[in-house]
Amino acid sequence: MHGYEEPVYLISIVAKVLNIHPQTLRQYEREGLVTPSRTDGKMRLYSQKDIDRIKLILRLTRDLGVNLAGVDVILQLKEKI
């Protein structure tokens, strides 16, 4: 059993589990919405916390039609609360 914040999932696994393209995950990272850890070989590793955050981003964008700038604001507000 891994800790909630322990980075263990490769980008390919996260993309498959969430049914999204790896490029989408890279875009979220570029936008600063999610910050995966990196291995020494620079491979991205995501934690369960990251995955839950990505699920929230997907819910906001897909279900509620929020753009990524709006998602950023919502996530920042959520962290302050």
Side-chain angles (χ1 to χ4, degrees), residues 11-29 46 54 58 62:
I11 190 169
S12 55
I13 301 297
V14 177
K16 186 178 259 186
V17 167
L18 297 179
N19 197 26
I20 57 176
H21 199 279
Q23 198 58 44
T24 304
L25 291 168
R26 292 186 194 102
Q27 181 183 6
Y28 291 170
E29 184 179 359
Y46 295 83
I54 294 161
L58 291 171
R62 288 179 176 170

Side-chain angles (χ1 to χ4, degrees), residues 15-76:
K16 186 178 259 186
V17 167
L18 297 179
N19 197 26
I20 57 176
H21 199 279
Q23 198 58 44
T24 304
L25 291 168
R26 292 186 194 102
Q27 181 183 6
Y28 291 170
E29 184 179 359
R30 273 197 310 276
E31 299 278 345
L33 299 175
V34 67
T35 312
S37 299
R38 297 279 183 153
T39 64
D40 292 338
K42 300 292 180 223
M43 290 178 68
R44 292 171 178 84
L45 284 179
Y46 295 83
S47 66
Q48 187 59 52
K49 182 179 180 182
D50 293 329
I51 291 173
D52 288 348
R53 187 175 173 95
I54 294 161
K55 284 179 182 174
L56 174 59
I57 295 167
L58 291 171
R59 217 168 22 249
L60 291 168
T61 55
R62 288 179 176 170
D63 302 345
L64 301 174
V66 179
N67 65 19
L68 291 182
V71 168
D72 188 37
V73 171
I74 291 167
L75 291 175
Q76 286 182 36

